[in-house]
Amino acid sequence: MYRWCTDEVEPHDRFDYWREVRSKGLFGVTAELERERRADFYGEFSLRQLGGGGLVELKASHYTVERSNSDIAYAPGDSICVYQQLGSGGWFGGMRTGDFAIANGSFATSHTDQPYRTAPLGAGGFHLRILKIPVSRLSTQDRRMRELAPRTFSDPGLAPLLGACFADLDDAAAGDNGATDATSVAQTSLDQASLDQASLDQASLVQALAHLALIERGIVRPGSRRGQAALRTARLSQARRLIARHLQDPGLAPAMVADQLGVSVRHLHMLFEAAAKSFSQTVTDERLKQSRRLMREAPDRLIADIATSCGFESLATYYRVFNAAYGMAPGDFRARGPEGR
């Protein structure tokens, strides 16, 4: 991961550096801000290469951005972009398709080499994620992809799927310490397997986000092989996040998750059949990881209380599955301390 913020530059140079080195040099856009407001400018971003795409998270105070024809000629991208709006909202204009606003929590998509102008709505500034996937890395090749001017997603059913994929992609990139920290020497190979699976997940999530965008724009049919694969990946991501949200509920069951996902129980089980773990295994694994996090974060909390808060039906069940998974009792895990895990 590459991180940078304007704190690394003298205050009077911050916007000029952001405009010339970061905006134009890295992102291929033109940034503008009234001179009298430049002394208070702040910006930061992170860039991660994941599964064949680049994930940018950007936060900055208010300024305007333009991707003009001259910018495109200077720094062509030939990528599909999927935007997740995290801040107070944004405005897009300067396109043949007309202007539009994008609200907090909403998504948009475009091809990098289409002109546009954008600015935050209100005084809150920018906060968004941008996933850029080179067209050459997509399994779908269609000339219409290069004609995609920025536009919000109009299908409300895609929003929770996009949100789950973005969240899982972020988790896969950061690494889940609860899943990969070593509890013993014997755990090392399991940890490597988790890392290898994370790499595979990143690639499938990037492809899913790209193809969901292409489904929205009518380039990929939902019922096609690629469309179905994207929807399966996204629904599995959403199902896993629904599981994580309801871990404390002892009644967490396939019917509950299937109902919230809008699919049948049979379809839900089919989603997990193609994954590394079944529905019940996923629930148990997430509960165990949550309990390990709680033991680290609250070393004085009773283990019985932790087990109950993670949804285990009894303390005996918790001890049995914890020992089966990690080769030790929860108390032994806690006694090792941070250095021994």
Side-chain angles (χ1 to χ4, degrees):
M1 178 190 293
Y2 177 66
R3 292 183 182 275
W4 188 86
C5 79
T6 49
D7 287 348
E8 299 180 23
V9 181
E10 292 296 325
H12 62 277
D13 291 329
R14 285 176 181 172
F15 182 76
D16 288 340
Y17 190 91
W18 181 271
R19 180 182 59 187
E20 298 302 326
V21 178
R22 300 306 172 190
S23 295
K24 188 170 289 294
L26 187 59
F27 300 116
V29 298
T30 298
E32 292 297 343
L33 181 63
E34 296 88 342
R35 187 164 297 278
E36 61 272 17
R37 300 175 63 184
R38 293 181 183 182
D40 298 324
F41 177 78
Y42 175 84
E44 64 175 294
F45 70 89
S46 64
L47 171 62
R48 290 174 287 187
Q49 297 297 326
L50 307 169
L55 181 63
V56 174
E57 182 165 350
L58 183 145
K59 298 179 183 179
S61 53
H62 193 284
Y63 69 106
T64 60
V65 174
E66 182 177 11
R67 176 94 162 133
S68 65
N69 288 321
S70 60
D71 291 323
I72 294 167
Y74 172 76
D78 198 22
S79 297
I80 296 296
C81 287
V82 185
Y83 307 86
Q84 182 184 26
Q85 182 68 37
L86 301 174
S88 57
W91 167 86
F92 277 84
M95 306 161 299
R96 67 179 186 278
T97 52
D99 300 359
F100 67 86
I102 178 170
N104 175 272
S106 297
F107 301 87
T109 186
S110 71
H111 187 272
T112 52
D113 298 346
Q114 289 290 318
Y116 65 87
R117 294 193 304 272
T118 185
L121 291 175
F126 285 107
H127 185 194
L128 69 159
R129 288 194 185 109
I130 309 168
L131 178 65
K132 296 176 66 174
I133 313 104
V135 169
S136 61
R137 301 297 296 267
L138 291 174
S139 56
T140 299
Q141 295 295 314
D142 189 304
R143 61 178 179 79
R144 291 176 293 171
M145 290 190 289
R146 295 181 172 87
E147 301 170 0
L148 298 179
R151 197 178 79 186
T152 55
F153 282 73
S154 59
D155 183 351
L158 291 178
L161 301 178
L162 292 159
C165 285
F166 262 109
D168 275 2
L169 187 60
D170 196 50
D171 288 348
D176 186 347
N177 292 330
T180 59
D181 62 338
T183 57
S184 66
V185 173
Q187 193 75 10
T188 303
S189 61
L190 179 60
D191 294 340
Q192 186 57 53
S194 297
L195 292 171
D196 292 343
Q197 183 62 43
S199 296
L200 293 173
D201 288 345
Q202 291 174 17
S204 63
L205 288 165
V206 167
Q207 290 290 317
L209 281 162
H211 285 108
L212 288 175
L214 296 177
I215 288 172
E216 164 68 22
R217 303 301 286 267
I219 294 175
V220 169
R221 291 182 295 104
S224 68
R225 179 174 57 84
R226 294 184 179 94
Q228 289 181 335
L231 290 168
R232 281 196 302 270
T233 297
R235 285 172 179 152
L236 183 59
S237 285
Q238 189 183 6
R240 286 169 171 163
R241 303 202 80 79
L242 287 169
I243 287 171
R245 191 180 306 160
H246 293 282
L247 283 180
Q248 294 184 349
D249 187 350
L252 175 60
M256 174 196 295
V257 175
D259 182 62
Q260 294 192 38
L261 198 60
V263 301
S264 67
V265 172
R266 173 177 170 76
H267 186 84
L268 178 71
H269 283 302
M270 290 175 61
L271 292 176
F272 281 92
E273 284 174 7
K277 297 175 183 176
S278 68
F279 178 91
S280 61
Q281 289 171 328
T282 300
V283 171
T284 299
D285 187 56
E286 288 299 318
R287 284 176 167 159
L288 287 171
K289 288 192 291 185
Q290 174 72 354
S291 75
R292 289 167 64 180
R293 285 192 289 269
L294 291 175
M295 280 192 281
R296 286 194 298 267
E297 296 167 3
D300 296 328
R301 189 173 178 182
L302 292 175
I303 289 177
D305 184 36
I306 289 175
T308 301
S309 71
C310 293
F312 287 97
E313 60 186 18
S314 70
L315 186 60
T317 299
Y318 176 55
Y319 269 77
R320 176 175 55 79
V321 297
F322 194 100
N323 188 71
Y326 306 121
M328 67 180 74
D332 295 331
F333 171 83
R334 170 177 273 176
R336 284 171 173 252
E339 296 79 9
R341 296 176 196 152

